């Protein structure tokens, strides 16, 4: 094979590759399809080529749409549990050495952002202070039931209650009093923080019985106010007067 003949073949192949394949009309395509069936000793096709093409295009569109629906369903099933996740509330009292106020540190644990966090004491709202994305604080100054509410962006909410009973906002109570031989005896009680006997002012106690809560004073010659405090700073004011003869 000479070089001129080889070069001619290459030019023909290049010309053939650069030539666009002509589109078949429907009649010719049907005739070619029937020829294929005849060559294979099969019955001619009863379905026209244009119908087959339309069906193929329809199947492609349907498959693409079904794929998108399938992806969406899978994504929904994966994310669906997030719709039912409730926030977890963790709280602790960080001020335990005070009888006048309790500070609670509150932490909200959840995978989703928090919509709001509120608190109330026996149904009365309490101010909350936000420290960061999941940490809050609140101050309680009276005894009662502290309830904390947390609500996430998925509308799921949680509540948790704490009993506050260590605060002392009540003054000491006079349970009984009597006098004997120029001495007055006072029986004092304080439920929460206890009576601060060492801080009694107005008169100096004659005797103090811490177990029974009885404090005695010499009866004054003129009316005198005795101030009896508890350890939270609440005070009981009693006016002691001379005994009439």
């Amino acid at each position: 094979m000479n070089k001129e003949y080889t070069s001619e073949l290459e030019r023909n192949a290049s010309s053939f590759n650069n030539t666009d394949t002509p589109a078949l009309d429907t009649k010719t395509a049907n005739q070619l399809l029937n020829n294929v069936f005849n060559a294979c000793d099969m019955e001619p096709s009863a379905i026209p080529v244009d119908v087959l093409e339309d069906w193929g295009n329809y199947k492609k569109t349907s498959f693409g749409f079904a794929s998108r629906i399938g992806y969406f369903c899978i994504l929904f099933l994966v994310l669906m549990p997030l719709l039912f996740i409730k926030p977890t509330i963790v709280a602790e009292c960080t001020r335990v050495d005070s009888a006048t106020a309790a500070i609670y540190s509150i932490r909200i644990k959840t995978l989703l952002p928090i919509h709001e966090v509120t608190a109330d004491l026996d149904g009365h709202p309490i101010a909350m202070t936000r420290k960061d994305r999941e940490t809050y604080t609140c101050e309680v100054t009276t005894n009662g039931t502290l309830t904390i509410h947390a609500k996430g962006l998925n509308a799921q909410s949680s509540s948790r209650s704490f009993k506050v009973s260590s605060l002392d906002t009540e003054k000491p109570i006079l349970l009984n009093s009597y006098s004997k031989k120029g001495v007055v005896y006072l029986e004092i009680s304080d439920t929460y923080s206890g009576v601060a006997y060492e801080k009694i002012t107005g008169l100096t106690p004659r005797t103090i019985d811490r177990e029974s809560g009885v404090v005695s004073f010499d009866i004054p010659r003129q009316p005198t106010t005795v101030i009896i405090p508890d350890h939270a700073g609440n005070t009981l004011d009693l006016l002691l007067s001379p005994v009439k003869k």
Side-chain angles (χ1 to χ4, degrees):
M1 183 180 293
N2 57 35
K3 293 183 179 180
E4 294 182 357
Y5 183 74
T6 302
S7 177
E8 184 68 21
L9 289 178
E10 291 176 351
R11 285 197 299 271
N12 291 336
S14 175
S15 176
F16 178 78
N17 291 334
N18 294 331
T19 302
D20 294 335
T21 303
L24 293 176
D25 58 87
T26 303
K27 182 177 180 181
T28 304
N30 284 325
Q31 184 61 47
L32 289 175
L33 183 62
N34 288 331
N35 291 339
V36 172
F37 278 103
N38 290 331
C40 297
D41 294 329
M42 298 175 62
E43 292 292 331
S45 174
I47 303 176
V49 172
D50 54 346
V51 175
L52 293 175
E53 290 179 348
D54 291 341
W55 173 252
N57 294 332
Y58 169 76
K59 291 295 291 182
K60 290 179 181 179
T61 304
S62 300
F63 178 77
F65 179 74
S67 298
R68 289 192 290 271
I69 292 296
Y71 295 147
F72 176 78
C73 291
I74 293 173
L75 181 62
F76 177 77
L77 291 176
V78 171
L79 298 179
M80 186 171 63
L82 296 177
L83 299 177
F84 304 98
I85 293 179
K86 292 185 176 182
T88 300
I89 301 173
V90 179
E92 63 175 344
C93 183
T94 57
R95 181 189 291 179
V96 296
D97 57 348
S98 174
T100 58
I103 303 297
Y104 278 82
S105 177
I106 303 161
R107 185 181 179 189
I108 310 299
K109 296 181 178 180
T110 181
L111 295 176
L112 299 176
I114 296 297
H115 176 62
E116 64 176 354
V117 178
T118 59
D120 62 76
L121 186 70
D122 294 336
H124 301 287
I126 295 179
M128 300 282 291
T129 301
R130 183 173 182 174
K131 298 183 64 177
D132 53 43
R133 189 178 68 88
E134 60 180 19
T135 306
Y136 301 77
T137 60
C138 69
E139 183 179 16
V140 182
T141 57
T142 57
N143 293 315
T145 300
L146 172 66
T147 303
I148 302 168
H149 311 273
K151 185 177 182 180
L153 287 180
N154 59 350
Q156 295 293 324
S157 59
S158 299
S159 298
R160 190 173 180 185
S161 297
F162 302 87
K163 188 68 175 178
V164 182
S165 59
S166 60
L167 302 181
D168 188 358
T169 59
E170 299 179 1
K171 62 183 180 181
I173 301 173
L174 176 63
L175 300 179
N176 189 21
S177 66
Y178 57 92
S179 60
K180 182 179 179 181
K181 296 181 180 181
V183 179
V184 61
Y185 297 87
L186 306 177
E187 184 180 353
I188 310 299
S189 174
D190 188 82
T191 304
Y192 297 105
S193 61
V195 178
Y197 297 102
E198 67 282 358
K199 296 181 180 181
I200 295 176
T201 59
L203 287 176
T204 301
R206 182 185 178 92
T207 61
I208 298 175
D209 189 340
R210 296 178 182 272
E211 292 187 4
S212 63
V214 175
V215 183
S216 66
F217 300 90
D218 291 328
I219 297 177
R221 295 183 179 181
Q222 59 183 2
T224 303
T225 299
V226 177
I227 301 175
I228 304 174
D230 62 15
H231 291 286
N234 306 300
T235 60
L236 172 65
D237 298 349
L238 297 176
L239 180 61
L240 302 183
S241 301
V243 177
K244 296 181 178 179
K245 297 181 180 180

